[in-house]
Amino acid sequence: MTAKEYLNRVRRQYYVVKRAEEELTAIKADILSLKASSMTEHVSGTKESDLADKYIRLERYFDTVTAEWDKLIDMRIEAKAMIRTLPDETQQAVLYARYINCGRWEDIAAGMNYSWKHIFRLHGKALQSFAAIHQSALDN
């Protein structure tokens, strides 16, 4: 695996978590609208148990989101430790901004007061340094 592939795993996991959180929010909203509609209807039946079942399923989905968060936190801790071993602090900052904070290139360039071109050059050098230092970990 390359340094970029390794670091992109962290970035992708962030988006997995965000999508799962968005789905969880949508499911909560759907359940709340079901609850509101069931309160206005006075029909006998199993509406209460159906709603309880949905809450149980929501809890299971919440557990899934929590597991994805745990995975992201573990990945970030490992990647941060590896990034900190780079001797150049500017290269560390570029990798941290891109892969840990999931920054966009234009935001990273503006935040560091560099041109895009220079950020890409720094990024390339940072990946080379990262790969040289952590080659054995990347090979596993």
Side-chain angles (χ1 to χ4, degrees), residues 41-63:
E41 296 174 10
H42 297 288
V43 179
S44 63
T46 61
K47 293 226 184 249
E48 297 281 329
S49 65
D50 287 347
L51 199 54
D53 290 343
K54 287 179 181 28
Y55 277 117
I56 291 168
R57 290 172 65 195
L58 176 64
E59 280 298 316
R60 276 192 237 129
Y61 197 82
F62 181 76
D63 292 343

Side-chain angles (χ1 to χ4, degrees), residues 53-97:
D53 290 343
K54 287 179 181 28
Y55 277 117
I56 291 168
R57 290 172 65 195
L58 176 64
E59 280 298 316
R60 276 192 237 129
Y61 197 82
F62 181 76
D63 292 343
T64 302
V65 173
T66 302
E68 293 296 342
W69 259 112
D70 290 344
K71 183 177 176 182
L72 174 61
I73 290 167
D74 291 343
M75 291 172 80
R76 279 183 170 173
I77 289 169
E78 182 179 303
K80 284 180 192 180
M82 292 172 81
I83 290 169
R84 278 194 297 270
T85 63
L86 271 62
D88 186 308
E89 290 179 357
T90 305
Q91 291 177 4
Q92 288 180 28
V94 171
L95 294 183
Y96 196 91

Side-chain angles (χ1 to χ4, degrees), residues 2 7 9-12 34-35 38 43 49 68 71-72 81 87 92-93 98 102 105 115 117-118 125-126 134:
T2 67
L7 292 168
R9 288 178 40 237
V10 179
R11 190 173 167 82
R12 279 191 308 273
L34 283 173
K35 184 177 179 182
S38 71
V43 179
S49 65
E68 293 296 342
K71 183 177 176 182
L72 174 61
Q92 288 180 28
R98 180 67 178 169
C102 299
W105 290 118
S115 69
K117 192 174 185 178
H118 190 61
K125 288 179 183 178
H134 300 292

